[in-house]
Amino acid sequence: MFPTEPAAVNNGFGALLKNRNFMLLWMGQLLSQLGDKVFFVLMVALLENYPPLPGLAENSMYSILMVAFTLPAIVLGSAGGIFVDRFSKKLILVGSNILQAILVLLIAFSPKEFLLFLVLTFAISALAQFFAPAEQAAIPVLVRKENFMAANALYSSTMMGALIVGFAIGEPILSLAKSWLGAGYGQQAVVGGLYIVSAIAFQLVDFKLEHKSVSDRRSVIDPWADLKEGLRYLKKNRLVLNAMLQLTTLYCVFAALMVLAIRLAADFGLKEKQFGFFLAAAGVGMVLGAAILGHWGDKFHHKPLPLIGFLVMALVLGVFTFTHSLLLALGLCALLGIGASLIGVPMQTLIQHQTPPTMYGKVFGFQNHAVNIALSLPLAITGPLTDALGLRTVLIGMSFVVATVGVWAWKNTRRVLQDVI
């Protein structure tokens, strides 16, 4: 389906389209991401089939289910990276998707016990923590260094696209599956099918460059020692640590916006459940920004992209609260997404450039852990802060913090960043 050898020169997305292994990896990632999003919709839809535990209200069941889904990301975020450094990336990518498919199908044929549903949900989410660092570590193995920017731009675009499309088409797809394949297992079969097809795509990827390095690693797994080794590396390599901090800040902002968007929807005369319009507009901006970087990234060499990105986001957050036009608000969200891409894509590229192959798993596992925490904490504190201080105060405060982080990060890394992005 694709040529076997990658392109020899940097040609943006054109070089990636000629790289058979990367395109298979990308398709597998896209299908797996869609599977995760549709499973989230399925998980909420299936809850009505489970009788509550004694003394447990329906709203409490939803909360407990969300905890079961998000807890693995906080607890196991770094664990997956330890295995990535010691086992074949193909094994982890294929195996995690196949196991997720099996567990999703088990939901259909298991007794309708809420505790069992929680265990299966926890296990499916836990497997994603092994998948995430493995796919990030696979990019430097399959792509030439001069094409890292384009590869990360494409990944960022498809991740955001999967987020938007997955939640948008999740309910219609599951409803059709329920009608065509039956209420008993039809919905689970669709989600499991996405994971299986993803696993097939990963199985076709040739990871020939990693075989020797995997076989040379010691077989004894010591999670604590590996975690300390990763932390020592980050402490020593301040450039990678700084890039990771910028990515963490970026995800904190987006997590907070997920909560604030509900309030913003009401302020602009929309229903609360239509808050997704703002997130979708930001997603479109991220896709546009990533596409520009992916295709013309070499033309932006030596430009302070992360600093520009943080200042753009800070400007949007500061101006947003004074906006009364819905169309203008959506345009500002798109601009915020473009600013986010100017941070996310170069910083991820930087981490891949600066991390040696023997540290891929530890570094990307730690990054996955930091991002998961960054996505979780703002969800818990943004709502109470908004109730206490007001929406305008919170947005202006976020604007100040984002601008400060951007300027501080650039002052600390501008000399070395100019040489690698």
Side-chain angles (χ1 to χ4, degrees):
M1 182 161 40
F2 302 105
T4 303
E5 294 298 325
V9 295
N10 185 9
N11 190 26
F13 289 136
L16 298 178
L17 293 174
K18 298 174 184 177
N19 186 333
R20 173 184 182 273
N21 289 317
F22 175 80
M23 292 306 297
L24 288 169
L25 181 77
W26 171 72
M27 287 192 295
Q29 176 246 5
L30 176 60
L31 291 167
S32 185
Q33 291 278 345
L34 282 175
D36 290 341
K37 305 307 177 290
V38 178
F39 171 72
F40 185 88
V41 177
L42 172 66
M43 180 183 70
V44 175
L46 290 178
L47 190 58
E48 64 182 19
N49 299 328
Y50 290 82
L53 297 175
L56 193 64
E58 183 179 359
N59 287 334
S60 298
M61 290 178 65
Y62 279 108
S63 297
I64 294 173
L65 186 62
M66 292 301 111
V67 170
F69 186 77
T70 56
L71 190 60
I74 299 174
V75 176
L76 302 173
S78 297
I82 296 172
F83 290 87
V84 170
D85 281 337
R86 298 178 182 277
F87 298 98
S88 164
K89 296 173 183 61
K90 177 184 285 191
L91 175 65
I92 296 174
L93 292 170
V94 174
S96 60
N97 276 276
I98 290 177
L99 289 174
Q100 283 179 306
I102 292 172
L103 292 175
V104 170
L105 292 175
L106 274 178
I107 293 176
F109 300 103
S110 299
K112 294 298 182 284
E113 297 288 342
F114 182 58
L115 287 178
L116 180 58
F117 187 41
L118 289 178
V119 170
L120 291 172
T121 298
F122 181 92
I124 292 169
S125 179
L127 286 167
Q129 309 316 311
F130 294 84
F131 174 86
E135 67 168 346
Q136 281 293 343
I139 294 177
V141 174
L142 301 175
V143 178
R144 298 177 186 274
K145 279 195 171 184
E146 60 265 26
N147 290 320
F148 279 4
M149 181 80 83
N152 285 302
L154 186 58
Y155 256 63
S156 298
S157 300
T158 50
M159 283 182 65
M160 187 55 64
L163 179 66
I164 298 169
V165 175
F167 287 139
I169 69 173
E171 195 281 328
I173 284 180
L174 293 175
S175 296
L176 287 175
K178 189 175 181 179
S179 301
W180 292 352
L181 302 177
Y185 60 87
Q187 300 175 96
Q188 293 89 337
V190 168
V191 178
L194 287 170
Y195 287 131
I196 290 294
V197 178
S198 173
I200 293 172
F202 289 132
Q203 180 61 37
L204 296 174
V205 178
D206 182 7
F207 282 101
K208 57 186 177 183
L209 296 178
E210 74 159 348
H211 294 335
K212 185 178 185 301
S213 61
V214 170
S215 63
D216 288 346
R217 293 169 195 161
R218 54 192 172 93
S219 58
V220 178
I221 296 177
D222 187 344
W224 180 242
D226 284 348
L227 179 61
K228 289 194 295 184
E229 184 182 356
L231 290 174
R232 281 197 300 269
Y233 174 78
L234 290 175
K235 185 177 180 180
K236 180 180 178 181
N237 194 325
R238 295 298 181 89
L239 185 59
V240 173
L241 179 61
N242 188 284
M244 205 172 289
L245 289 174
Q246 292 185 59
L247 286 175
T248 302
T249 303
L250 173 62
Y251 281 101
C252 279
V253 172
F254 265 89
L257 286 177
M258 291 175 67
V259 178
L260 296 176
I262 300 175
R263 286 285 303 272
L264 289 170
D267 288 351
F268 284 95
L270 300 175
K271 299 178 181 178
E272 285 191 351
K273 64 181 181 181
Q274 293 177 314
F275 72 94
F277 289 153
F278 296 108
L279 300 180
V284 170
M286 282 196 69
V287 171
L288 178 60
I292 293 171
L293 288 175
H295 197 69
W296 294 290
D298 56 320
K299 298 184 183 302
F300 298 104
H301 192 54
H302 298 321
K303 298 297 188 297
L305 297 179
L307 176 62
I308 295 172
F310 274 115
L311 293 179
V312 167
M313 292 183 69
L315 176 64
V316 170
L317 291 170
V319 171
F320 210 103
T321 188
F322 301 100
T323 303
H324 303 289
S325 166
L326 176 59
L327 188 61
L328 179 58
L330 294 175
L332 286 171
C333 285
L335 182 60
L336 184 140
I338 293 174
S341 69
L342 298 181
I343 303 165
V345 174
M347 291 300 97
Q348 191 62 56
T349 302
L350 171 63
I351 294 173
Q352 291 169 350
H353 267 290
Q354 296 294 306
T355 303
T358 55
M359 295 295 296
Y360 282 161
K362 299 178 187 67
V363 170
F364 292 129
F366 192 83
Q367 177 188 333
N368 184 49
H369 204 168
V371 166
N372 287 331
I373 294 174
L375 288 172
S376 302
L377 290 180
L379 293 177
I381 66 174
T382 302
L385 279 177
T386 305
D387 292 336
L389 303 176
L391 181 61
R392 175 171 293 183
T393 302
V394 171
L395 283 172
I396 293 176
M398 286 174 60
S399 173
F400 176 77
V401 170
V402 169
T404 302
V405 169
V407 173
W408 171 82
W410 183 250
K411 285 180 66 177
N412 281 278
T413 57
R414 63 180 181 272
R415 290 187 180 89
V416 283
L417 280 176
Q418 288 175 346
D419 294 331
V420 295
I421 64 172

